[in-house]
Amino acid sequence: MTGDAAPSRGVWITLEGGDGAGKTTQAGLLETWLRERGREVVRTREPGGTEVGTLVRDIVLHHRGEVAPRAEALLYAADRAQHVATLVRPALERGAVVVQDRYLDSSVAYQGAGRVLDAGEIRDLSLWATEGALPHLTVLLDLDPSAARARLDADDKPFDRLEAEREDFHARVRAAFLQLAAAEPDRFLVLDATAPAADLAAAVCARVQPLLA
Ligand code: TMP
């Protein structure tokens, strides 16, 4: 864990990208690869990695009435605070590899660029919530929003509140993710999500390997 002084023997990897980019598939492949190497893996996600997070997830993804943009940002930050304090930090301290679907970059992209809140304030809110915790590696699966929408349509599941946003919202989210990656090239690995899943997994594992030493 970078960004704070907490001693940590573990490795923290987050996966980011638009809805439908294939994060869950890649998280699963990475988990298998790590377990084959004898590592303890904690597979988790935001929102929803804890009991409190599951309740928050239900509100942010499925509440039927209006959720004000700042309320939404605070709900994601609350989920994150609980997640890092009660699950991620303890796992890293005992030496596990945490493989996590989404983290604070999602808030900067979705609430910052998507909902048009101040990106710096959104990032600072999450850093406050987590006492400055940042992952060792963030894998960004980059995908054009129209290709992502075609994948989600093929899934035939009802859209959640964020997935249901218009294409210009998702275009802003994608651009924000790419900007975040460009600003922190040491933390990010950016991959073209249209590549075959096995090729993506190989690229992820190659980048993770040196972190395990
Ligand atoms: P997912 O778990 O299926 O990826 O769904 C989570 C949704 O929540 C997804 O549309 C992205 C959105 N989200 C935010 O808007 N802000 C956040 O901070 C996080 C973690 C997710």
Side-chain angles (χ1 to χ4, degrees):
M1 178 179 304
T2 55
D4 70 354
S8 150
R9 297 184 298 120
V11 181
W12 188 13
I13 301 155
T14 57
L15 294 105
E16 296 281 8
D19 300 279
K23 294 180 301 303
T24 309
T25 303
Q26 287 307 315
L29 293 170
L30 178 59
E31 177 181 10
T32 304
W33 183 84
L34 287 162
R35 286 197 196 282
E36 283 166 5
R37 273 145 197 84
R39 298 297 298 241
E40 181 199 348
V41 181
V42 173
R43 172 97 177 271
T44 186
R45 68 174 177 179
E46 290 187 5
T50 62
E51 251 180 71
V52 167
T54 303
L55 298 170
V56 174
R57 183 176 176 94
D58 197 39
I59 301 171
V60 286
L61 297 191
H62 304 302
H63 180 69
R64 287 181 182 278
E66 184 190 352
V67 180
R70 283 166 192 265
E72 184 180 276
L74 286 163
L75 285 163
Y76 280 112
D79 163 69
R80 187 157 298 134
Q82 178 76 1
H83 190 220
V84 168
T86 67
L87 191 137
V88 175
R89 206 178 279 274
L92 293 173
E93 280 167 3
R94 64 173 189 269
V97 183
V98 176
V99 177
Q100 180 173 328
D101 214 317
R102 298 194 183 280
Y103 186 54
L104 96 181
D105 302 297
S106 276
S107 280
V108 178
Y110 283 81
Q111 281 65 56
R115 300 290 187 219
V116 200
L117 294 171
D118 183 278
E121 287 178 359
I122 294 293
R123 183 180 162 90
D124 286 349
L125 177 66
S126 280
L127 289 174
W128 177 82
T130 62
E131 299 180 82
L134 283 173
H136 299 99
L137 172 65
T138 299
V139 178
L140 173 59
L141 294 170
D142 177 53
L143 186 62
D144 178 76
S146 49
R149 176 55 54 119
R151 286 184 182 186
L152 293 175
D153 284 343
D155 265 1
D156 210 22
K157 283 192 293 199
F159 288 164
D160 65 40
R161 282 182 57 253
L162 283 295
E163 286 167 348
E165 281 295 337
R166 291 162 26 164
E167 197 156 322
D168 59 320
F169 176 97
H170 291 287
R172 290 198 301 280
V173 167
R174 181 196 192 189
F177 273 131
L178 289 171
Q179 251 178 21
L180 287 166
E184 282 184 81
D186 291 346
R187 174 161 71 90
F188 274 88
L189 169 66
V190 183
L191 297 173
D192 174 355
T194 61
D199 295 359
L200 294 171
V204 172
C205 295
R207 181 73 179 255
V208 169
Q209 178 87 64
L211 298 175
L212 301 177

